[in-house]
Each structure stands twice: as C-alpha cells, then as structure tokens.
Amino acid sequence: VVGFNDDPLASIISPSLTTIAHPAFEIGRMAAAQLFEQKENSALVSSKTTVVKTQLVIRESSFKRGLDDYSLVVCLTVF
C-alpha cells in the first residue's frame, strides 16, 4: 500500500505507510508562474508539461525487493 504526499501521519500509524514525497511548494510555484504567463500572453494557449523529482519513502506497508534506489517522476501538466 502506498500513499501520496508524505504526510507526517504516514510515519506514525501502524504499520507505517509507504508514501511518495513530492515538492508541493515548488509544484504550486511553477503552476502559478505558468498561469501568470498565460494571462500576460493571452494569445498563448498551449499546454506545458513540467517534470519534478519525487521520492518513494519505503515504510512498513511495503518492502524492498532487492533494489537500492527507488525514485519516481511526477509530471505536472498545466492547460
């Protein structure tokens, strides 16, 4: 079982929840910047995909299967 957002509660509950940590502030900053850019350039109506690095935080709700590095990529698309 895997959660998303790496909420502090995920490490406290039993069994502790494996979760995906992501840079929420940075995602919000990039989305706001894209919205302001689209507002300023009203003729520009294309979508933009931005990739941010995430981290899989392994806890008791799952286990490693011989792999040393777990990393995922989340794509944020703003229309």
Side-chain angles (χ1 to χ4, degrees):
V1 176
V2 178
F4 190 81
N5 201 20
D6 197 22
D7 189 284
L9 186 60
S11 63
I12 297 170
I13 61 173
S14 182
S16 58
L17 180 64
T18 295
T19 185
I20 298 171
H22 65 285
F25 183 84
E26 181 66 13
I27 291 170
R29 187 197 63 74
M30 290 186 296
Q34 179 68 23
L35 288 172
F36 284 121
E37 181 182 331
Q38 285 183 356
K39 184 175 180 184
E40 290 175 5
N41 303 316
S42 57
L44 178 71
V45 187
S46 64
S47 66
K48 178 181 178 183
T49 300
T50 303
V51 177
V52 295
K53 186 157 173 77
T54 62
Q55 179 183 8
L56 182 60
V57 181
I58 305 291
R59 295 195 178 102
E60 295 170 324
S61 68
S62 61
F63 60 94
K64 292 184 179 183
R65 294 185 178 210
L67 299 175
D68 293 330
D69 181 40
Y70 287 94
S71 61
L72 301 173
V73 175
V74 173
C75 292
L76 170 68
T77 302
V78 178
F79 294 99

